[in-house]
Amino acid sequence: MCGIVGYIGTQQAAPLLLEGLTRLEHRGYDSAGVAVLGSGLRVAKKAGRVRDLSAELPKRFSGKVGIGHTRWATHGPANDVNAHPHVDATGDVAVVHNGIIDNAAALRERLTDEGVELASDTDTEVLAHLIARSTADTLEERVAEALAAIEGTYGVAVLHADFPDRIVVARNGSPLIIGVGEKEMHVASDLGALVRYTTTVAHLDDGEMATVTATGFTTYRQDLTQVQRAATEVDVDPASYDAGEHESFMRKEMLEQPAAAERVLRGRLDERFGTAHLGGLNMDARETREIRRVKILGCGSAYYVGQMGASLIEELARIPADAEAASEFRYRNPIIEHDTLYVAVSQSGETIDTLLAVQEIRRKGGRVVGLVNVVGSAIARECDGGIYLHAGPEVAVASTKALTNMFLGFALLALQLGRVRDLSISEGKRLIEALIALPAQLQEVLDGEDRLAEIATGLAQAESLFFVGRVRGFPVAREGAQKFKEISYRHAEAYQTSELKHGPLALISPEVPTVAIVPEDELTDRNVGALHEIAARRGPLVVVTHPDVDLRGLDVQRIDVPRSARELDPILLTIPLQLLAFHAAQVLGHDIDKPRNLAKSVTVE
């Protein structure tokens, strides 16, 4: 949510800021703005898209130092005044801010009592005034003094007309990255805004600040004691952040799933011993055997794939495992057990709810590992170890290839946990054989896109849908409903198939389709029986199933996916649901990559 960019160097800042903001549009926003330092400080901001801001930017908007922002409204509506950057009363200080200032109301009241006229409804504006009212000698001291007065989360970048040779940035709970160029420096909240210019970056940790000049950067704590923060090279192809020939990032990323699956498995499968090698967990076999429980934490799709992962771990390793919404975890004062392995799941590695849960676990002495897609992200740095997903950059808000690689990450974890316990070598080899075959099976499902597009056209006309499944199929149904609602804006609700007769069956009608997950397993007959109950009430049925499942006597739209090992079936059953959601949204004419009210990286609670 929200995005920050900054530039200082030898080029005109405004075009680079606008380009960077465009590359952050996937994070979700409702207004945009830039500030540049040239002959004084100048600010331009606008509700709407970056292109709207660009169209209204004055022709003479010169300056070689600047900051920019895309805002996702929290305090106050989306309008020109509430857009960032925010300035002080004299127009000498400009601030952009991601996060939420919890004590903003008290600070606004204090500033008003002191005679300050606040122009906006936002929490961020108080920062600009606090910095401007400081009498400290340096900009760094003024920013540190202002930050000491606030409570909450922030990633901030600050310009001051009296200090035109620098940008001061700070982080606490919201990501900030410094990009190192040749006689120029960049600042961003997301790597995607930087990769066209540099792949040499430094990540700030929580509680850190930095001074960025055209020739380098200096990092320090909020008490202004210096800390060493070296820049490193990130292995990323800038072309990965372009949709290329595809009409949307989501379609591009769906089609990349077979290749992404191969990457996450590469070098991690030991066919000789029927196990997985996950050196990044930083646990030896003895430590692994001491684990008695696994708790998985994630939000949204990461939570649902965590439920799939919990099932994998219980089946293969025979360890109690469950998944929980990370956003709720720390608020119930959880009991942290020394023999429990906690697993934090996040595509971006910056999801604030999940990051706070990780910090709560570590404060209480628990062991936590991460399943993340972004090297150097906050969650990756906070965890004791982890599994990088190697999905490549994922830009669309709706997660597809990262979700698939999360599932495969859990499969690898479950295999390694199982093999140090009671999972036999023959069972391990069976799983490995199925994992090796999986990328080709993913491609087989994607090749059926035309048929799925036809079915989606019909589903798009419904105002409300059910997604149902049992045991392994229920998290699949939850993820399917999530995808459908977030990009098609149709109401979609997931239930256990067994729960239909305990309430939801009352809503079944010809106007309410049901998408049912019916794998060939020990519950096939019961699942098919539930389909007959829906059909008896004239509910339209779309069934995602396996080729050998007998659906005779039922009027359904059938979607067959190839069989894998029973433990791996959920991910193959999930892929058609991605395509159904995508094509339904396309039929309805929605902006698929930027669904309303949502953001790619959720960095505020």
Side-chain angles (χ1 to χ4, degrees), residues 231-436:
T232 58
E233 192 74 19
V234 292
D235 183 17
V236 62
D237 179 5
S240 300
Y241 287 91
D242 289 319
E245 63 186 15
H246 302 286
E247 68 269 31
S248 69
F249 277 102
M250 184 178 176
R251 186 161 194 278
K252 172 180 179 280
E253 289 157 9
M254 285 191 298
L255 298 180
E256 288 174 344
Q257 287 177 107
E262 288 181 351
R263 285 196 300 273
V264 75
L265 297 173
R266 191 176 298 141
R268 288 169 161 169
L269 297 175
D270 185 340
E271 296 180 69
R272 180 183 177 191
F273 293 105
T275 189
H277 286 312
L278 297 172
L281 293 181
N282 299 324
M283 292 190 298
D284 60 26
R286 186 182 298 275
E287 289 175 296
T288 303
R289 282 191 62 85
E290 291 173 354
I291 295 168
R292 293 291 174 263
R293 183 182 301 275
V294 177
K295 166 74 75 172
I296 299 166
L297 301 167
C299 296
S301 291
Y303 168 38
Y304 303 142
V305 79
Q307 291 184 311
M308 300 180 202
S311 178
L312 274 166
I313 290 165
E314 288 202 338
E315 289 190 72
L316 296 177
R318 304 306 298 154
I319 304 172
D322 70 300
E324 182 175 343
S327 52
E328 297 294 302
F329 178 74
R330 72 190 182 106
Y331 291 106
R332 59 176 182 79
N333 192 22
I335 298 168
I336 304 300
E337 300 166 308
H338 74 277
D339 55 0
T340 294
L341 178 66
Y342 297 88
V343 185
V345 192
S346 168
Q347 187 284 136
S348 67
E350 302 287 353
T351 309
I352 189 65
D353 298 291
T354 309
L355 176 60
L356 292 172
V358 169
Q359 292 170 343
E360 177 75 3
I361 293 164
R362 297 204 66 192
R363 270 194 296 271
K364 294 184 174 181
R367 179 192 290 272
V368 58
V369 298
L371 258 71
V372 299
N373 194 39
V374 180
V375 175
S377 58
I379 292 172
R381 298 198 308 276
E382 285 274 358
C383 286
D384 298 296
I387 304 170
Y388 279 117
L389 301 178
H390 298 296
E394 189 178 67
V395 176
V397 168
S399 182
T400 53
K401 63 177 180 175
L403 179 136
T404 294
N405 280 23
M406 288 172 185
F407 178 89
L408 294 175
F410 279 120
L412 293 168
L413 176 62
L415 180 57
Q416 181 167 308
L417 291 174
R419 286 291 290 124
V420 300
R421 283 177 169 75
D422 300 325
L423 189 71
S424 69
I425 190 169
S426 61
E427 282 290 280
K429 288 182 174 181
R430 174 182 68 85
L431 262 293
I432 287 176
E433 184 179 339
L435 286 167
I436 291 170

Side-chain angles (χ1 to χ4, degrees), residues 33-71:
V34 293
V36 298
L37 266 173
S39 54
L41 180 67
R42 300 185 67 189
V43 176
K45 51 188 186 175
K46 179 76 176 173
R49 296 299 191 188
V50 174
R51 60 177 176 266
D52 301 322
L53 171 67
S54 182
E56 293 196 9
L57 202 68
K59 290 185 178 180
R60 293 185 178 181
F61 200 74
S62 61
K64 297 179 180 179
V65 184
I67 55 177
H69 191 265
T70 50
R71 176 180 185 250

